[in-house]
Amino acid sequence: MSAAAEGRPAHSRRVIAASCVGTALEWYDFFIYSSAAALVFGHLFFPKLDPATGTLVALATFGVGFLSRPLGGLVFGHLGDRIGRKPVLIITLLLVGVGTLLIGLLPTYDQIGVWAPILLVFLRLVQGFGAGAEYGGAVLMLVEHAPPGRRGFWGSFAPLGVGAGMMLASGVFALVSRLPQEDFLSWGWRVPFLLSIVMVIFGVVIRMGLRETPVFEKIAAAPETKSKNPVWESVSRQPKNFFVVLGSRLAENGHGYLFPVFGLSYAVNNLGVPKSDALFAMMSGYVVQMICVVAFASLSDRIGRRPVYIFGALFGCLLAFPFFAMLEAKTTFWLCAAFWLALGGNAAMFGTQAAYFAELFGPKRRFSGFAFARELGSILAGGPAPAIATALVAWASGSSWPVALYAIFLGLVTAYAVWMGPETYRDDITVDASEIEPARAAAEPRFVRAVA
């Protein structure tokens, strides 16, 4: 056996670890920032406002990060298609990680006045800028290294990092929240942010040792064929696929925030469920999601991306009303059942998405198309979903039925978008997808071409 062959398993493990650590850090930051914004940032960075308004403004700074994500996808997607996947993955990890670390070191309003909230918002924008391409780059590193017929399974390791990051963050934050209130406000809240440096160091070291993906090596071998403007070409040459990504993000990202994030808030604040019970149910749901992500992604390698993805979207529609009915039962069993079904069903979209989005774009503009379209979808779906749901509940005098209808709307739009999109699980990802579209169209039955 050659040395190269012997080294493949070790490098495969390194690719998987390098991809998981970035998504874990991204979602570790998501949980600790949202928790700190809800519990302490209003008091520490916006003390001149009344407590309720200060908390609301602090939570708004969390949403600011979504605004810079598409810009990050635009810039780093372009670089990923021009200079390579590996260097961009190192840069984005540093941006997200260093931004998180510096938030843990920020002086408060009492120490530097108005500069404290200004710097907080700036660092949140830096995090969002890096996160805009972190997930896309991690997915491409996995999918472009994957053996034939296993791209779904390999791609599933990136979303696995999401669950790992959420559980790690919840554990760390639960520990520091046990501190006396004075200690928690003075230094305890900083600990989860400072600990992120461990993941950053590990991630940078392991990513430095990666080889470039075989797909990009092929592009680099013929530099004259590189796309000069991959972002524009991903839209202009493959507009249908670009909009398929946007449409497919609505339910995946929207349900991903509506069911666990808004569902947690609704159970605790509107139904009076003990916070510990609701958190236990939600976190156990993320364990179920991690298992289902791998299962559904592997299934998509066998039967195709579209049927699995459409199932996830329609399952979310069917679950919308029962989900809130289960929460309203207020028992541990039904709380767990609600979150297990919601997060397990969402895994059919979330797990399949990695390989599917990568396969929708040609190799010379794959990073740009994936990252920019996906993060643009975040603004349309996940970002406003909790706020829209909260407003709908207030409009309906505390009833959940408008939120269920909203979830159904998102699911139907996504199911239609994916149904209109191409099937990709057997495509050769080393070939430009826009060049094989005519061949695929000619091979489709006349009825399918007429509908599309």
Side-chain angles (χ1 to χ4, degrees), residues 107-426:
T108 63
Y109 188 94
D110 289 341
Q111 294 170 306
I112 60 172
V114 72
W115 281 105
I118 291 174
L119 289 172
L120 180 66
V121 170
F122 172 74
L123 290 175
R124 190 62 188 155
L125 288 170
V126 169
Q127 288 177 314
F129 187 62
E134 168 59 41
Y135 185 82
V139 166
L140 295 196
M141 186 60 71
L142 287 163
V143 171
E144 292 185 346
H145 271 103
R150 301 282 284 169
R151 293 195 298 261
F153 172 73
W154 273 59
S156 70
F157 285 99
L160 273 184
V162 173
M166 288 287 286
M167 288 193 291
L168 181 62
S170 63
V172 172
F173 215 90
L175 287 175
V176 297
S177 63
R178 291 176 177 271
L179 291 168
Q181 184 70 0
E182 184 178 346
D183 291 339
F184 180 67
L185 289 175
S186 64
W187 60 268
W189 68 271
R190 299 180 184 274
V191 173
F193 291 92
L194 299 178
L195 286 177
S196 66
I197 192 62
V198 177
M199 281 190 285
V200 175
I201 294 172
F202 174 75
V204 169
V205 169
I206 199 167
R207 286 183 175 185
M208 288 288 288
L210 291 178
R211 294 195 297 268
E212 190 52 85
T213 72
V215 173
F216 189 80
E217 285 179 344
K218 183 178 178 180
I219 297 170
E224 69 280 359
T225 66
K226 284 185 180 179
S227 174
K228 291 183 172 60
N229 193 338
V231 175
W232 168 245
E233 288 185 14
S234 69
V235 181
S236 61
R237 295 191 62 176
Q238 295 179 273
K240 179 180 178 180
N241 290 5
F242 189 87
F243 285 104
V244 166
V245 173
L246 288 181
S248 60
R249 279 287 276 167
L250 292 182
E252 178 271 317
N253 200 227
H255 291 178
Y257 282 92
L258 274 180
F259 290 135
V261 178
F262 174 75
L264 177 68
S265 173
Y266 182 78
V268 173
N269 299 323
N270 292 72
L271 302 178
V273 173
K275 188 176 182 181
S276 58
D277 291 351
L279 278 171
F280 171 78
M282 185 186 73
M283 297 316 300
S284 66
Y286 279 110
V287 176
V288 172
Q289 185 185 57
M290 292 174 70
I291 297 170
C292 290
V293 156
V294 178
F296 281 120
S298 299
L299 180 63
S300 77
D301 282 331
R302 293 178 174 272
I303 67 173
R305 316 296 182 212
R306 292 168 71 237
V308 178
Y309 209 112
I310 291 172
F311 165 79
L314 295 180
F315 183 83
C317 294
L318 294 174
L319 184 65
F321 281 99
F323 174 80
F324 289 103
M326 285 185 277
L327 293 185
E328 288 160 7
K330 302 181 186 180
T331 66
T332 302
F333 173 81
W334 287 114
L335 286 170
C336 288
F339 286 107
W340 291 356
L341 288 171
L343 289 165
N346 187 261
M349 295 181 284
F350 193 35
T352 307
Q353 179 193 100
Y356 188 45
F357 285 6
E359 292 162 350
L360 283 170
F361 298 98
K364 292 179 288 188
R365 50 186 169 274
R366 179 169 292 138
F367 206 144
S368 298
F370 187 122
F372 184 50
R374 183 179 185 275
E375 297 309 329
L376 199 57
S378 297
I379 290 182
L380 299 175
I388 292 174
T390 302
L392 289 172
V393 168
W395 173 77
S397 302
S399 177
S400 62
W401 66 264
V403 182
L405 290 178
Y406 176 47
I408 291 172
F409 167 75
L410 294 177
L412 292 176
V413 172
T414 287
Y416 178 75
V418 177
W419 180 70
M420 292 296 292
E423 182 53 80
T424 59
Y425 77 116
R426 291 180 176 172

Side-chain angles (χ1 to χ4, degrees), residues 59-71:
L59 287 170
T61 66
F62 170 73
V64 164
F66 283 95
L67 298 179
S68 57
R69 288 177 74 107
L71 181 60

